[in-house]
Coordinates of all heavy atoms in Angstrom, one line a residue:
M245 N 4.1 16.8 5.6 CA 2.9 16.2 6.1 C 3.2 15.1 7.1 O 4.1 14.3 6.8 CB 2.1 15.7 4.9 CG 1.4 16.7 4.1 SD 0.0 17.4 4.9 CE -0.7 18.4 3.6
P246 N 2.5 14.9 8.1 CA 2.7 13.8 9.0 C 2.3 12.5 8.4 O 1.3 12.4 7.7 CB 1.9 14.2 10.3 CG 0.8 15.0 9.7 CD 1.3 15.8 8.5
T247 N 3.0 11.5 8.8 CA 2.7 10.1 8.4 C 2.0 9.5 9.6 O 2.5 9.5 10.7 CB 3.9 9.3 8.0 OG1 4.6 10.0 6.9 CG2 3.5 7.9 7.6
T248 N 0.8 8.9 9.3 CA 0.2 8.2 10.4 C 0.4 6.7 10.1 O 0.3 6.2 9.0 CB -1.3 8.5 10.5 OG1 -1.9 8.2 9.2 CG2 -1.6 9.9 10.8
S249 N 0.6 5.9 11.2 CA 0.8 4.5 11.0 C -0.1 3.8 12.0 O -0.4 4.2 13.1 CB 2.2 4.1 11.2 OG 2.6 4.2 12.6
T250 N -0.7 2.7 11.5 CA -1.6 1.9 12.3 C -1.2 0.5 12.2 O -1.0 -0.1 11.2 CB -3.1 2.0 11.7 OG1 -3.4 3.4 11.4 CG2 -4.1 1.4 12.7
R251 N -1.1 -0.1 13.4 CA -0.7 -1.6 13.4 C -2.0 -2.4 13.1 O -3.0 -2.1 13.7 CB -0.2 -1.8 14.9 CG 0.4 -3.2 15.1 CD 1.8 -3.3 14.6 NE 2.2 -4.7 14.6 CZ 3.2 -5.2 13.8 NH1 3.8 -4.4 13.0 NH2 3.5 -6.4 13.9
F252 N -1.8 -3.4 12.3 CA -2.9 -4.3 12.1 C -2.5 -5.7 12.4 O -1.4 -6.1 12.4 CB -3.5 -4.2 10.7 CG -2.6 -4.5 9.6 CD1 -2.3 -5.8 9.2 CD2 -2.0 -3.5 8.8 CE1 -1.4 -6.1 8.2 CE2 -1.1 -3.7 7.8 CZ -0.8 -5.1 7.5
Q253 N -3.5 -6.6 12.7 CA -3.3 -8.0 13.0 C -4.2 -8.8 12.0 O -5.2 -8.4 11.6 CB -3.8 -8.3 14.4 CG -3.2 -7.4 15.5 CD -1.7 -7.8 15.7 OE1 -1.3 -8.9 15.4 NE2 -1.0 -6.8 16.3
N254 N -3.6 -10.0 11.7 CA -4.4 -11.0 10.9 C -5.0 -10.4 9.6 O -6.2 -10.6 9.4 CB -5.6 -11.5 11.8 CG -5.0 -12.2 13.1 OD1 -4.0 -12.8 13.1 ND2 -5.7 -11.9 14.2
E255 N -4.2 -9.8 8.8 CA -4.6 -9.4 7.5 C -4.0 -10.4 6.5 O -2.9 -10.9 6.7 CB -4.1 -8.0 7.2 CG -4.8 -6.9 7.9 CD -6.2 -6.7 7.4 OE1 -6.5 -6.9 6.2 OE2 -7.1 -6.2 8.2
Q256 N -4.7 -10.6 5.3 CA -4.1 -11.5 4.3 C -3.1 -10.7 3.4 O -3.5 -9.7 2.8 CB -5.2 -12.1 3.5 CG -4.6 -13.1 2.5 CD -5.7 -14.0 1.9 OE1 -6.8 -13.5 1.7 NE2 -5.3 -15.2 1.5
A257 N -1.9 -11.1 3.5 CA -0.8 -10.5 2.6 C -1.0 -11.0 1.2 O -1.7 -12.0 0.9 CB 0.5 -10.9 3.2
P258 N -0.4 -10.3 0.3 CA -0.4 -10.7 -1.2 C 0.0 -12.1 -1.4 O -0.4 -12.7 -2.4 CB 0.5 -9.7 -1.8 CG 0.4 -8.5 -1.0 CD 0.3 -9.0 0.4
C259 N 0.9 -12.7 -0.6 CA 1.3 -14.1 -0.8 C 0.4 -15.1 -0.3 O 0.5 -16.3 -0.5 CB 2.7 -14.3 -0.1 SG 2.6 -14.0 1.7
G260 N -0.7 -14.6 0.4 CA -1.7 -15.5 0.9 C -1.6 -15.8 2.4 O -2.6 -16.4 3.0
R261 N -0.5 -15.4 3.0 CA -0.4 -15.7 4.4 C -1.2 -14.7 5.2 O -1.4 -13.5 4.8 CB 1.1 -15.6 4.8 CG 1.9 -16.8 4.4 CD 3.4 -16.6 4.3 NE 3.9 -16.3 5.6 CZ 5.2 -16.2 5.9 NH1 6.1 -16.3 4.9 NH2 5.7 -16.0 7.1
I262 N -1.7 -15.1 6.4 CA -2.3 -14.2 7.3 C -1.3 -13.7 8.3 O -0.8 -14.5 9.1 CB -3.5 -14.9 8.1 CG1 -4.5 -15.6 7.1 CG2 -4.2 -13.9 9.0 CD1 -5.2 -14.6 6.2
V263 N -1.0 -12.4 8.2 CA 0.1 -11.9 9.1 C -0.3 -10.5 9.7 O -1.3 -9.9 9.3 CB 1.4 -11.7 8.2 CG1 2.0 -13.0 7.8 CG2 1.1 -10.7 7.1
A264 N 0.5 -10.0 10.6 CA 0.3 -8.7 11.1 C 1.1 -7.8 10.3 O 1.9 -8.2 9.4 CB 0.7 -8.7 12.6
G265 N 1.0 -6.5 10.6 CA 1.8 -5.5 9.8 C 1.5 -4.1 10.2 O 0.8 -3.9 11.2
E266 N 1.9 -3.2 9.4 CA 1.7 -1.8 9.7 C 1.1 -1.1 8.4 O 1.6 -1.4 7.3 CB 3.1 -1.2 10.0 CG 3.1 0.1 10.8 CD 3.3 -0.2 12.3 OE1 3.9 -1.2 12.6 OE2 2.8 0.6 13.1
H267 N 0.2 -0.2 8.7 CA -0.4 0.5 7.6 C 0.0 2.0 7.7 O -0.3 2.6 8.8 CB -2.0 0.4 7.7 CG -2.7 1.2 6.7 ND1 -4.0 1.7 6.9 CD2 -2.4 1.8 5.5 CE1 -4.4 2.4 5.9 NE2 -3.4 2.5 5.0
Y268 N 0.7 2.5 6.8 CA 1.1 3.9 6.8 C 0.2 4.7 5.8 O -0.1 4.3 4.7 CB 2.5 4.1 6.3 CG 3.5 3.4 7.2 CD1 3.9 2.1 7.1 CD2 4.2 4.1 8.2 CE1 4.8 1.5 7.9 CE2 5.1 3.6 9.1 CZ 5.4 2.2 8.9 OH 6.3 1.6 9.8
Q269 N -0.1 5.9 6.2 CA -0.9 6.8 5.4 C -0.3 8.2 5.4 O -0.1 8.7 6.5 CB -2.3 6.8 5.8 CG -3.2 7.5 4.8 CD -4.7 7.2 5.1 OE1 -5.1 7.6 6.2 NE2 -5.4 6.7 4.2
D270 N 0.0 8.7 4.3 CA 0.5 10.1 4.3 C 0.1 10.8 3.0 O -0.4 10.3 2.1 CB 2.0 10.2 4.6 CG 2.9 9.6 3.5 OD1 2.7 9.9 2.4 OD2 3.8 8.8 3.9
Q271 N 0.4 12.1 3.0 CA 0.1 12.9 1.8 C 1.3 13.7 1.4 O 2.2 14.1 2.2 CB -1.0 13.9 2.2 CG -2.3 13.3 2.6 CD -3.2 14.3 3.2 OE1 -3.0 14.7 4.4 NE2 -4.2 14.7 2.5
D272 N 1.5 13.9 0.1 CA 2.5 14.8 -0.3 C 2.1 15.6 -1.6 O 0.9 15.5 -1.9 CB 3.8 14.0 -0.6 CG 3.7 13.0 -1.7 OD1 3.0 13.2 -2.7 OD2 4.2 11.9 -1.5
D273 N 3.0 16.3 -2.1 CA 2.6 17.2 -3.3 C 2.2 16.5 -4.5 O 1.3 16.9 -5.3 CB 3.8 18.1 -3.6 CG 4.1 19.1 -2.5 OD1 3.2 19.4 -1.7 OD2 5.2 19.6 -2.4
E274 N 2.8 15.3 -4.7 CA 2.6 14.6 -5.9 C 1.3 13.8 -5.9 O 0.5 13.7 -6.8 CB 3.8 13.6 -6.2 CG 3.9 13.2 -7.6 CD 5.1 12.2 -7.7 OE1 6.2 12.5 -7.1 OE2 5.0 11.3 -8.4
A275 N 1.1 13.1 -4.8 CA -0.1 12.3 -4.6 C -0.9 12.9 -3.5 O -0.5 13.4 -2.5 CB 0.3 10.8 -4.2
L276 N -2.2 12.7 -3.7 CA -3.2 13.2 -2.7 C -3.1 12.4 -1.5 O -3.0 12.9 -0.4 CB -4.6 13.1 -3.3 CG -5.7 14.0 -2.7 CD1 -5.3 15.5 -2.8 CD2 -7.0 13.7 -3.5
V277 N -3.1 11.1 -1.6 CA -3.0 10.2 -0.5 C -2.1 9.0 -0.9 O -2.2 8.5 -2.0 CB -4.4 9.6 -0.1 CG1 -4.3 8.7 1.1 CG2 -5.4 10.8 0.2
T278 N -1.3 8.6 0.0 CA -0.5 7.4 -0.1 C -0.8 6.5 1.0 O -0.7 6.8 2.2 CB 1.0 7.8 -0.1 OG1 1.3 8.6 -1.2 CG2 1.8 6.5 -0.2
D279 N -1.3 5.3 0.6 CA -1.5 4.2 1.6 C -0.4 3.2 1.4 O -0.1 2.8 0.2 CB -2.9 3.6 1.3 CG -4.0 4.3 1.9 OD1 -3.9 4.6 3.1 OD2 -4.9 4.6 1.2
D280 N 0.1 2.7 2.4 CA 1.2 1.8 2.3 C 1.1 0.7 3.4 O 1.1 1.0 4.6 CB 2.5 2.6 2.6 CG 3.8 1.8 2.2 OD1 3.7 0.7 1.6 OD2 4.9 2.3 2.6
W281 N 0.8 -0.5 2.9 CA 0.7 -1.6 3.9 C 2.0 -2.4 3.9 O 2.4 -3.0 2.8 CB -0.5 -2.5 3.5 CG -1.8 -1.9 3.7 CD1 -2.6 -2.1 4.8 CD2 -2.6 -1.1 2.8 NE1 -3.8 -1.4 4.6 CE2 -3.8 -0.8 3.4 CE3 -2.3 -0.6 1.5 CZ2 -4.8 0.0 2.8 CZ3 -3.3 0.1 0.8 CH2 -4.5 0.4 1.5
R282 N 2.6 -2.6 5.0 CA 3.8 -3.3 5.1 C 3.6 -4.5 6.0 O 3.4 -4.4 7.2 CB 5.0 -2.5 5.7 CG 5.3 -1.3 4.7 CD 6.4 -0.5 5.2 NE 6.4 0.8 4.6 CZ 7.2 1.8 4.9 NH1 8.1 1.7 5.8 NH2 7.1 3.0 4.2
Y283 N 3.5 -5.7 5.4 CA 3.2 -6.9 6.1 C 4.5 -7.5 6.7 O 5.6 -7.3 6.2 CB 2.6 -7.9 5.1 CG 1.3 -7.5 4.5 CD1 1.4 -6.8 3.2 CD2 0.1 -7.6 5.1 CE1 0.2 -6.3 2.6 CE2 -1.1 -7.2 4.5 CZ -1.0 -6.5 3.3 OH -2.2 -6.0 2.7
D284 N 4.3 -8.1 7.8 CA 5.4 -8.7 8.6 C 6.2 -9.7 7.8 O 7.4 -9.9 8.1 CB 5.0 -9.2 9.9 CG 4.8 -8.1 11.0 OD1 5.0 -6.9 10.6 OD2 4.4 -8.4 12.1
C285 N 5.6 -10.4 6.9 CA 6.3 -11.4 6.1 C 7.2 -10.7 5.0 O 8.0 -11.4 4.4 CB 5.3 -12.3 5.4 SG 4.2 -11.5 4.2
G286 N 7.0 -9.4 4.8 CA 7.8 -8.7 3.8 C 7.1 -8.3 2.6 O 7.6 -7.5 1.8
C287 N 5.8 -8.7 2.4 CA 5.0 -8.3 1.3 C 4.6 -6.8 1.5 O 4.6 -6.3 2.7 CB 3.7 -9.1 1.2 SG 3.9 -10.7 0.6
R288 N 4.3 -6.1 0.4 CA 4.0 -4.7 0.5 C 3.0 -4.3 -0.5 O 3.1 -4.7 -1.7 CB 5.3 -4.0 0.3 CG 5.2 -2.5 0.7 CD 6.5 -1.9 0.8 NE 6.4 -0.4 0.8 CZ 7.4 0.4 0.8 NH1 8.6 0.0 0.8 NH2 7.1 1.7 0.8
T289 N 2.0 -3.5 -0.1 CA 1.0 -3.0 -1.0 C 1.0 -1.5 -0.9 O 1.0 -0.9 0.2 CB -0.4 -3.5 -0.7 OG1 -0.4 -4.9 -0.8 CG2 -1.4 -2.9 -1.7
T290 N 1.2 -0.8 -2.0 CA 1.2 0.7 -2.0 C 0.1 1.2 -2.9 O -0.1 0.7 -4.0 CB 2.5 1.2 -2.5 OG1 3.6 0.5 -1.9 CG2 2.7 2.7 -2.2
R291 N -0.6 2.2 -2.4 CA -1.7 2.8 -3.2 C -1.6 4.3 -3.2 O -1.4 4.9 -2.1 CB -3.1 2.4 -2.6 CG -4.3 2.7 -3.3 CD -5.5 2.2 -2.6 NE -6.7 2.7 -3.2 CZ -7.3 3.9 -2.9 NH1 -6.7 4.6 -2.0 NH2 -8.4 4.3 -3.4
H292 N -1.6 4.9 -4.4 CA -1.5 6.3 -4.5 C -2.8 6.9 -5.1 O -3.2 6.4 -6.1 CB -0.3 6.8 -5.4 CG 1.0 6.4 -4.9 ND1 1.6 7.1 -3.9 CD2 1.9 5.5 -5.2 CE1 2.8 6.6 -3.6 NE2 3.0 5.6 -4.4
E293 N -3.3 7.9 -4.5 CA -4.5 8.5 -5.0 C -4.1 9.9 -5.5 O -3.6 10.7 -4.7 CB -5.5 8.6 -3.9 CG -7.0 8.6 -4.5 CD -7.9 8.5 -3.3 OE1 -8.0 7.5 -2.6 OE2 -8.7 9.5 -3.1
Y294 N -4.2 10.2 -6.8 CA -3.7 11.4 -7.3 C -4.8 12.5 -7.4 O -6.0 12.2 -7.3 CB -3.1 11.2 -8.7 CG -1.9 10.3 -8.6 CD1 -2.0 9.0 -8.9 CD2 -0.7 10.8 -8.2 CE1 -0.9 8.1 -8.9 CE2 0.4 9.9 -8.2 CZ 0.3 8.6 -8.5 OH 1.4 7.8 -8.4
H295 N -4.4 13.7 -7.6 CA -5.3 14.9 -7.6 C -6.4 14.8 -8.7 O -7.5 15.3 -8.6 CB -4.6 16.2 -7.8 CG -3.7 16.5 -6.6 ND1 -4.1 17.0 -5.4 CD2 -2.4 16.2 -6.4 CE1 -3.1 17.1 -4.6 NE2 -2.0 16.6 -5.1
D296 N -6.1 14.1 -9.8 CA -7.0 14.0 -10.9 C -8.0 12.8 -10.7 O -8.8 12.5 -11.6 CB -6.3 13.9 -12.3 CG -5.5 12.6 -12.4 OD1 -5.4 11.8 -11.4 OD2 -4.9 12.4 -13.4
G297 N -7.9 12.1 -9.6 CA -8.8 11.0 -9.3 C -8.3 9.7 -9.7 O -8.9 8.7 -9.4
S298 N -7.1 9.6 -10.4 CA -6.6 8.3 -10.8 C -5.9 7.7 -9.6 O -5.5 8.3 -8.6 CB -5.6 8.4 -11.9 OG -4.6 9.3 -11.6
V299 N -5.9 6.4 -9.6 CA -5.3 5.6 -8.5 C -4.3 4.6 -9.0 O -4.5 3.9 -10.0 CB -6.5 4.8 -7.8 CG1 -5.9 3.9 -6.7 CG2 -7.5 5.7 -7.2
G300 N -3.1 4.7 -8.4 CA -2.0 3.8 -8.8 C -1.9 2.7 -7.7 O -2.0 3.1 -6.5
R301 N -1.7 1.5 -8.1 CA -1.6 0.4 -7.1 C -0.4 -0.5 -7.4 O -0.2 -0.8 -8.5 CB -2.8 -0.4 -7.1 CG -3.1 -1.3 -5.9 CD -4.5 -1.7 -5.8 NE -4.9 -2.6 -6.9 CZ -4.9 -4.0 -6.7 NH1 -4.6 -4.5 -5.5 NH2 -5.2 -4.8 -7.7
K302 N 0.4 -0.8 -6.4 CA 1.5 -1.7 -6.6 C 1.6 -2.7 -5.5 O 1.4 -2.3 -4.3 CB 2.8 -0.8 -6.6 CG 4.0 -1.6 -7.1 CD 5.2 -0.7 -7.3 CE 6.4 -1.5 -7.8 NZ 7.6 -0.7 -8.1
V303 N 1.7 -3.9 -5.9 CA 1.7 -5.0 -4.9 C 3.0 -5.8 -5.1 O 3.3 -6.3 -6.2 CB 0.5 -6.0 -5.1 CG1 0.6 -7.1 -4.1 CG2 -0.8 -5.2 -4.9
V304 N 3.8 -5.9 -4.1 CA 5.1 -6.6 -4.2 C 5.1 -7.8 -3.2 O 4.9 -7.6 -2.0 CB 6.3 -5.6 -3.9 CG1 7.6 -6.3 -4.1 CG2 6.2 -4.4 -4.7
H305 N 5.4 -8.9 -3.8 CA 5.6 -10.2 -3.0 C 6.8 -10.1 -2.1 O 7.8 -9.4 -2.5 CB 5.7 -11.4 -3.9 CG 5.5 -12.7 -3.3 ND1 6.6 -13.3 -2.6 CD2 4.5 -13.5 -3.2 CE1 6.2 -14.5 -2.2 NE2 4.9 -14.6 -2.5
H306 N 6.8 -10.8 -0.9 CA 7.9 -10.7 0.0 C 9.2 -11.2 -0.6 O 10.3 -11.0 -0.1 CB 7.6 -11.3 1.3 CG 7.3 -12.7 1.3 ND1 6.0 -13.2 1.5 CD2 8.1 -13.8 1.2 CE1 6.0 -14.5 1.4 NE2 7.3 -14.9 1.3
K307 N 9.1 -12.0 -1.7 CA 10.3 -12.5 -2.4 C 10.9 -11.5 -3.4 O 11.9 -11.7 -4.1 CB 10.1 -13.8 -3.0 CG 10.1 -14.9 -2.0 CD 9.8 -16.3 -2.6 CE 9.9 -17.4 -1.5 NZ 9.3 -18.6 -1.9
G308 N 10.1 -10.4 -3.6 CA 10.6 -9.3 -4.4 C 9.9 -9.2 -5.8 O 10.1 -8.3 -6.5
K309 N 9.0 -10.1 -6.1 CA 8.3 -10.1 -7.3 C 7.2 -9.1 -7.3 O 6.4 -9.0 -6.3 CB 7.7 -11.5 -7.6 CG 7.1 -11.7 -9.0 CD 6.7 -13.2 -9.1 CE 6.4 -13.5 -10.5 NZ 5.1 -13.0 -11.0
V310 N 7.1 -8.3 -8.3 CA 6.0 -7.3 -8.4 C 4.7 -8.0 -9.0 O 4.7 -8.5 -10.1 CB 6.4 -6.1 -9.3 CG1 5.2 -5.2 -9.5 CG2 7.6 -5.4 -8.8
L311 N 3.7 -8.1 -8.2 CA 2.5 -8.9 -8.6 C 1.5 -8.0 -9.4 O 0.9 -8.4 -10.3 CB 1.8 -9.4 -7.4 CG 2.6 -10.4 -6.5 CD1 1.8 -10.8 -5.3 CD2 3.0 -11.6 -7.3
V312 N 1.4 -6.7 -8.9 CA 0.5 -5.8 -9.5 C 1.2 -4.4 -9.6 O 1.8 -4.0 -8.7 CB -0.8 -5.6 -8.7 CG1 -1.7 -4.6 -9.4 CG2 -1.5 -6.9 -8.6
D313 N 1.1 -3.8 -10.8 CA 1.6 -2.4 -10.9 C 0.7 -1.8 -11.9 O 0.8 -1.9 -13.1 CB 3.1 -2.4 -11.4 CG 3.7 -1.1 -11.3 OD1 3.0 -0.1 -10.9 OD2 4.9 -1.0 -11.6
E314 N -0.3 -1.1 -11.5 CA -1.3 -0.5 -12.4 C -1.7 0.9 -12.0 O -1.5 1.4 -10.9 CB -2.6 -1.4 -12.3 CG -3.2 -1.5 -11.0 CD -4.4 -2.4 -10.9 OE1 -4.7 -3.1 -11.9 OE2 -5.0 -2.5 -9.8
L315 N -2.2 1.6 -13.0 CA -2.7 2.9 -12.8 C -4.2 2.9 -13.4 O -4.4 2.6 -14.5 CB -1.9 3.9 -13.6 CG -2.2 5.4 -13.3 CD1 -2.0 5.8 -11.9 CD2 -1.4 6.2 -14.3
I316 N -5.1 3.3 -12.5 CA -6.5 3.3 -12.9 C -6.9 4.7 -13.1 O -6.9 5.5 -12.1 CB -7.4 2.6 -11.8 CG1 -6.9 1.1 -11.6 CG2 -8.8 2.6 -12.2 CD1 -7.2 0.6 -10.3
A317 N -7.4 5.1 -14.2 CA -7.8 6.4 -14.5 C -9.1 6.7 -13.7 O -9.9 5.9 -13.5 CB -8.1 6.6 -16.0
G318 N -9.2 8.0 -13.3 CA -10.3 8.3 -12.4 C -11.6 8.7 -13.1 O -12.5 9.2 -12.4
H319 N -11.7 8.6 -14.4 CA -12.9 9.0 -15.1 C -13.7 7.9 -15.7 O -13.1 6.9 -16.0 CB -12.5 10.0 -16.2 CG -11.7 11.2 -15.7 ND1 -12.3 12.1 -14.9 CD2 -10.4 11.5 -15.7 CE1 -11.3 13.0 -14.6 NE2 -10.2 12.6 -15.1
Ligands
LIG691 ZN1 4.3 -12.4 2.1

């Protein structure tokens, strides 16, 4: 599946800084949709949407600390 990437400007990263970055979106067999925001400061947010409707979300601070790692059931 092709990965699409979109450049963004002036978004608030998980650390609170307003930075630019890249938003990647792709699909694979395991997850229906994967959204991946990579902020220029190094912070990262990943979101997986699964076939059963559940959504997994992971937020990593640019210093390496995992701020959020959760799975939300789709029902
Ligand atoms: Zn950051």
Side-chain angles (χ1 to χ4, degrees):
M245 285 286 189
T247 301
T248 56
S249 71
T250 312
R251 187 83 189 152
F252 61 77
Q253 304 289 337
N254 302 319
E255 289 285 333
Q256 187 168 28
C259 62
R261 287 161 66 174
I262 306 294
V263 294
E266 204 96 27
H267 174 206
Y268 295 86
Q269 192 169 57
D270 67 49
Q271 297 168 285
D272 59 41
D273 293 339
E274 200 182 321
L276 199 60
V277 182
T278 298
D279 279 307
D280 193 10
W281 289 267
R282 296 182 200 176
Y283 300 91
D284 280 0
C285 64
C287 284
R288 193 167 166 182
T289 299
T290 313
R291 186 176 171 278
H292 295 286
E293 210 174 293
Y294 298 98
H295 295 277
D296 64 358
S298 60
V299 174
R301 196 163 70 96
K302 191 169 181 180
V303 180
V304 184
H305 191 280
H306 61 255
K307 285 181 176 164
K309 189 174 191 286
V310 177
L311 302 176
V312 178
D313 193 357
E314 63 185 2
L315 185 66
I316 303 157
H319 302 289

